[in-house]
């Protein structure tokens, strides 16, 4: 006997190749890449033109500023000589020059010159390597009409390098933020448009090929130029109505046909037709194909974007209170934000509120808070009270939004007449984490720097207005957005009760991922707001956000190949985070290593989120509680004066623990396949 070929790997390879082709040929990828390229080119051109136009103005202003500072010093020296102190024996000149060097970081050197050109006193700032001479100005020292000498003050060169660094600190997050939002908008439009209609057509043709004439596939809000799903639905309805007429005709012929063999032949024809195909007894069942997961992704992203941007903007504007460092204040803000989200999420999950009611209330709450901040109603409050209250309020709104969107996403899975396709794994949670880790804080910092406090707050209400408009459009009959939240929680509890098993490995595997999510959320807020003018912090914040989004949207090739690759990446990420902690911050390669470690760690977090939700289906409240613990751990690390990179190392270790427990848990769980409801 020849052994049968092992064909179980072929479908998996076909699925992987099909997913790879879909990912490469996706129009969203092309649109996102084109948008990123255009924005980078536009930013580079604008920066170059601005630098050329302001070059003469900058040189004139620096020359005037150097002259004024030199004259201020010469007046003080002239006053000392005028009261009787010999010019060659002045005391305290070095201390005066050093005081000015400490007060003005852009001063390169100060020198006291004799009228003969001899340098009497000179103080210069230490400059590594060869430095170009900056703008110099001489202020004469005149006493009773006699010129005794001069004060020469030289400012550091602020040419294209310094201008490029200061411009990049603002342009890099702005360009990447806009490009990322454009890419996600293209993905949403594609999944809510062409992919949704193509999926409906595939469901209809698959049902027709299988002889299923008892259901009709319908696409709500279909486009007028694409009638394929409607035509297939009409064809199924025509076949169903034809069978109904044939049944009635045969029933009539049986009463009038005198010959028994003809009656038997008609019965056999009807039995063959009904045996090879399936028809509805009491009318067709409608299968409404809705893109619930892409809808919840976009709604959760927009509302979490504003909810995370408002505290980030306020944090970048307020000074640290007391002896508190900016990093510690940012970590404390993240901890308060996540704790408030956990409490509000638990309260929302216990109520039978409609998801739309919760989301509309969240839109109104965010709009009212932004209006109060913009109009100055809360101005009498202290800065400490203001940022604490804003963090708690925005966190509560964000937690309620996550629970409501997750309930809508899961309700569409469990309704037999609706499909949440095309599938986006962990759509609501992934969008929420992307906004919390990078998109929200980065948007708040950019709006604060570019638009100021008033217009920046008003600009942050635009995502909320867009979300409210989309929710009004999606509020249609039999929509998944009309379900009640507590029913979703009860369905999850019933599903967990059907498969009891050991819960300890499940809890430990989920705890590691949620802990890493909280750590990276705190690190993202720290580097986005605490050092908005530092280019290294800006690059690290962008790396964290892009890594999470890439990990969430990356297709899963297979369990065994994915586990091996993720294990290798985890080892590399842990090594990079350890190297970033050991290398001093003054080293030139510290920032690139830290950015690479953050990018890789965030990418692994995104993949772990989708894998965990596929296996465990953790509730939003569990994610929020674990994230709060992770933010509290990051706050403890910051309070202990540990480097910011320690949060990334702790997140990597938590992901390693979660991967180990998940692998052990997956060996005991049965294989799970996501079949379509159709």
């Amino acid at each position: 006997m020849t052994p049968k070929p092992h064909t179980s790997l072929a479908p998996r390879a076909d699925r992987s190749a099909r997913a790879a082709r879909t990912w490469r040929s996706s129009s969203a990828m092309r649109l996102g890449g084109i948008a990123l390229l255009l924005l980078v080119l536009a930013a580079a051109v604008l920066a170059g033109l601005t630098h050329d136009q302001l070059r003469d103005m900058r040189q004139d202003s620096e020359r005037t500023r150097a002259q004024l500072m030199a004259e201020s010093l010469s007046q003080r020296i002239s006053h000392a000589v005028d009261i009787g102190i010999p010019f060659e024996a002045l005391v305290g000149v070095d201390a005066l020059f050093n005081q000015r060097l400490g007060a003005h970081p852009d001063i390169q050197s100060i020198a006291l010159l004799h009228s003969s050109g001899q340098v009497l006193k000179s103080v210069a700032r230490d400059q590594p390597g060869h430095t170009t001479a900056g703008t110099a100005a001489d202020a004469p020292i005149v006493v009773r009409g006699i010129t005794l000498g001069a004060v020469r003050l030289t400012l550091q060169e602020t040419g294209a390098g310094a201008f490029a660094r200061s411009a990049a600190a603002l342009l890099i997050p702005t360009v990447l933020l806009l490009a990322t939002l454009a890419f996600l908008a293209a993905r949403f439009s594609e999944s809510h448009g062409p992919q949704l209609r193509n999926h409906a057509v595939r469901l209809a043709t698959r049902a027709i090929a299988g002889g299923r004439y008892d259901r009709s596939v319908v696409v709500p809000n279909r486009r007028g130029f694409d009638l394929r799903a409607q035509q297939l639905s009409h064809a199924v309805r025509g076949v169903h109505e034809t069978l109904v007429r044939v049944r009635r005709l045969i029933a009539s012929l049986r009463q009038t046909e005198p010959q028994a063999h003809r009656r038997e032949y008609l019965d056999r024809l009807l039995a063959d037709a009904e045996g090879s195909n399936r028809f509805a007894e009491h009318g067709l069942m409608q299968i409404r194909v809705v893109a619930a997961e892409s809808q919840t992704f976009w709604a959760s992203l927009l509302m979490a974007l504003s909810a995370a941007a408002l505290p980030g903007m306020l944090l970048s504007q307020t000074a640290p209170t007391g002896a508190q460092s900016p990093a510690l204040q940012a970590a404390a803000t993240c901890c308060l934000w996540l704790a408030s989200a956990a409490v509000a999420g638990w309260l929302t999950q216990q109520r039978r509120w409609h998801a739309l009611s919760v989301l509309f209330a969240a839109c109104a709450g965010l709009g009212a808070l932004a209006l109060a901040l913009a109009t100055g109603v809360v101005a009498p409050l202290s800065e400490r009270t203001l940022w604490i209250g804003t963090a708690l309020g925005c966190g509560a709104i964000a937690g309620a939004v996550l629970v409501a969107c997750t309930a809508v996403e899961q309700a569409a899975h469990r309704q037999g007449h609706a499909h949440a396709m095309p599938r986006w794994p962990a759509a609501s949670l992934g969008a929420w984490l992307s906004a919390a880790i990078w998109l929200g804080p980065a948007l708040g910092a950019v709006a604060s720097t570019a638009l100021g406090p008033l217009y920046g707050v008003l600009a942050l209400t635009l995502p909320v207005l867009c979300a409210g408009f989309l929710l009004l459009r999606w509020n249609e009959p039999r929509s998944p957005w009309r379900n009640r939240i507590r029913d979703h929680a009860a369905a999850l509890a019933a599903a967990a009760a059907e498969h009891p098993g050991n819960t300890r490995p499940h809890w430990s595997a989920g705890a590691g991922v949620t802990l890493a999510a909280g750590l990276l959320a705190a690190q993202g807020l720290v580097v986005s707001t605490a050092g908005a003018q530092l280019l290294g912090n800006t690059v690290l914040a962008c790396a964290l956000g892009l890594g999470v989004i890439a990990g969430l949207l990356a297709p899963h090739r297979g369990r065994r190949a994915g586990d091996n690759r993720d294990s290798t990446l985890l080892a590399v990420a842990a090594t990079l985070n350890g190297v970033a902690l050991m290398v001093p911050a003054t080293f030139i390669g510290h920032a690139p290593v830290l950015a690479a470690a953050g990018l890789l760690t965030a990418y692994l977090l995104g993949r772990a989120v989708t894998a965990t939700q596929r296996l465990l289906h953790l509730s939003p409240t569990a994610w929020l509680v674990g994230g709060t613990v992770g933010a509290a751990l990051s706050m403890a690390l910051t309070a202990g004066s540990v480097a910011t990179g320690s949060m990334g190392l702790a997140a990597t270790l938590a992901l390693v623990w979660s991967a180990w427990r998940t692998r052990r848990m997956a060996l005991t769980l049965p294989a799970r396949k996501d079949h379509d409801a159709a």
Side-chain angles (χ1 to χ4, degrees):
M1 292 180 62
T2 59
K4 293 183 179 181
H6 187 67
T7 59
S8 61
L9 295 178
R12 184 179 301 174
D14 294 341
R15 288 194 300 268
S16 301
R18 185 164 55 252
R21 288 195 301 270
T22 303
W23 185 255
R24 287 194 297 267
S25 62
S26 174
S27 62
M29 290 291 293
R30 295 195 297 271
L31 288 175
I34 293 172
L36 177 60
L37 180 61
L38 291 178
L39 285 172
V40 169
L41 291 177
V45 171
L46 288 176
L49 292 176
T50 304
H51 180 266
D52 292 339
Q53 292 176 0
L54 297 180
R55 181 184 301 164
D56 297 335
M57 185 184 300
R58 176 182 55 82
Q59 291 178 354
D60 293 339
S61 64
E62 288 182 354
R63 191 178 299 109
T64 302
R65 184 166 178 267
Q67 187 67 37
L68 292 175
M69 296 173 68
E71 289 179 356
S72 173
L73 291 173
S74 68
Q75 288 176 4
R76 297 191 62 175
I77 295 176
S78 299
H79 176 71
V81 175
D82 191 29
I83 62 176
I85 302 176
F87 180 68
E88 292 80 3
L90 289 173
V91 180
V93 176
D94 293 337
L96 176 62
F97 288 173
N98 286 320
Q99 186 269 334
R100 290 300 173 93
L101 282 180
H104 301 279
D106 54 345
I107 296 179
Q108 182 175 344
S109 64
I110 306 175
L112 177 63
L113 305 179
H114 196 269
S115 58
S116 61
Q118 179 184 1
V119 179
L120 300 179
K121 302 287 184 180
S122 179
V123 175
R125 191 183 304 274
D126 294 334
Q127 297 291 336
H130 177 72
T131 57
T132 306
T135 304
D138 292 342
I141 301 174
V142 181
V143 179
R144 300 182 184 91
I146 301 175
T147 302
L148 302 178
V151 174
R152 177 170 296 173
L153 187 141
T154 305
L155 295 179
Q156 292 181 357
E157 177 65 26
T158 57
F163 179 82
R165 286 190 296 271
S166 60
L170 178 62
L171 289 177
I172 286 178
T174 304
V175 168
L176 291 180
L177 186 67
L178 295 177
T180 304
L181 290 177
F183 167 74
L184 294 177
R187 286 272 296 175
F188 165 73
S189 177
E190 186 182 36
S191 64
H192 200 261
Q195 287 187 4
L196 178 65
R197 296 191 294 271
N198 293 339
H199 177 68
V201 172
R202 284 195 298 269
L203 286 180
T205 54
R206 191 185 307 164
I208 293 174
R212 299 291 300 266
Y213 299 103
D214 56 346
R215 58 189 61 193
S216 174
V217 178
V218 179
V219 180
N221 299 325
R222 62 175 177 82
R223 302 297 183 183
F225 58 83
D226 194 348
L227 303 177
R228 296 174 298 165
Q230 184 184 16
Q231 292 171 355
L232 291 174
S233 178
H234 289 171
V236 171
R237 187 178 297 275
V239 173
H240 177 76
E241 292 176 352
T242 301
L243 180 69
V244 172
R245 289 194 296 267
V246 168
R247 284 176 177 173
R248 293 175 180 176
L249 179 60
I250 291 177
S252 176
L253 290 176
R254 283 182 58 85
Q255 297 178 1
T256 59
E257 178 60 45
Q259 298 182 11
H261 68 278
R262 290 186 176 181
R263 293 196 301 269
E264 293 177 358
Y265 177 71
L266 293 175
D267 293 339
R268 188 168 60 254
L269 288 179
L270 182 60
D272 291 341
E274 293 180 343
S276 59
N277 302 295
R278 296 181 60 178
F279 299 92
E281 295 294 336
H282 305 287
L284 293 175
M285 181 180 66
Q286 275 194 350
I287 302 294
R288 303 177 74 252
V289 184
V290 293
E293 289 188 347
S294 61
Q295 290 178 359
T296 55
F297 179 91
W298 195 244
S300 177
L301 178 70
L302 290 176
M303 301 189 70
L305 191 64
S306 295
L310 284 175
M313 179 178 181
L314 196 63
L315 190 64
S316 62
Q317 293 175 352
T318 58
T321 57
Q324 198 174 29
S325 64
L328 182 59
Q329 186 172 355
T333 302
C334 183
C335 187
L336 292 175
W337 193 78
L338 288 173
S340 177
V343 174
W346 181 80
L347 292 176
T348 305
Q349 193 172 348
Q350 303 304 315
R351 298 292 184 270
R352 295 191 71 252
W353 294 331
H354 283 283
L356 281 175
S357 301
V358 174
L359 293 174
F360 281 135
C363 289
L366 282 174
L369 181 58
L371 189 62
L373 292 174
T375 56
V377 176
V378 294
L381 299 176
S382 63
E383 291 185 353
R384 183 187 182 91
T385 305
L386 188 59
W387 69 263
I388 290 178
T390 304
L392 292 177
C394 291
I397 293 174
V401 165
L402 178 60
V403 171
C405 290
T406 306
V408 173
E409 177 186 343
Q410 296 298 330
H413 279 286
R414 288 173 170 77
Q415 292 175 357
H417 61 275
H419 292 267
M421 295 292 288
R423 295 283 173 84
W424 284 15
S428 303
L429 180 63
W432 197 89
L433 284 177
S434 302
I437 291 176
W438 175 55
L439 291 175
L443 181 63
V446 168
S448 175
T449 305
L451 301 176
L454 174 60
Y455 296 105
V457 170
L458 295 179
L460 295 182
T461 60
L462 293 179
V464 177
L465 296 177
C466 181
F469 171 74
L470 291 176
L471 291 175
L472 288 175
R473 286 193 58 192
W474 297 334
N475 184 18
E476 58 185 9
R478 293 190 296 173
S479 171
W481 292 90
R482 291 192 171 191
N483 76 298
R484 296 182 181 273
I485 296 175
R486 190 176 180 181
D487 296 339
H488 154 67
L492 285 181
E498 293 178 359
H499 306 282
N502 187 10
T503 60
R504 184 176 178 181
H506 300 187
W507 176 86
S508 59
V513 183
T514 56
L515 192 67
L519 286 165
L520 289 188
Q523 187 181 14
L525 186 62
V526 167
V527 298
S528 297
T529 58
Q533 300 300 325
L534 298 179
L535 186 58
N537 286 350
T538 301
V539 174
L540 178 57
C542 296
L544 290 175
L546 295 178
V548 169
I549 295 173
L552 290 169
L553 299 181
H556 286 260
R557 305 299 182 189
R559 177 176 295 182
R560 180 63 59 185
D563 289 345
N564 294 335
R565 186 178 65 177
D566 290 349
S567 300
T568 305
L569 292 179
L570 281 171
V572 174
T575 304
L576 288 177
N577 280 293
V579 170
L581 284 179
M582 292 185 294
V583 172
T586 57
F587 182 64
I588 191 173
H590 178 265
V593 171
L594 191 60
L599 178 66
L600 195 55
T601 305
Y603 172 78
L604 292 170
L605 173 64
R607 289 184 59 85
V609 167
T610 55
T612 303
Q613 286 302 94
R614 286 183 177 184
L615 290 175
L616 301 181
H617 298 290
L618 295 178
S619 65
T621 306
W623 279 98
L624 294 174
V625 171
T628 304
V629 176
L633 179 59
S634 68
M635 186 176 174
L637 293 174
T638 307
S641 299
V642 185
T644 308
S646 60
M647 301 181 192
L649 180 60
T652 307
L653 297 178
L655 290 175
V656 170
W657 167 262
S658 176
W660 179 61
R661 301 301 292 178
T662 302
R663 184 175 300 179
R664 291 191 60 187
M665 180 188 63
L667 297 176
T668 61
L669 291 178
R672 179 178 177 270
K673 297 181 180 180
D674 293 329
H675 294 290
D676 297 334

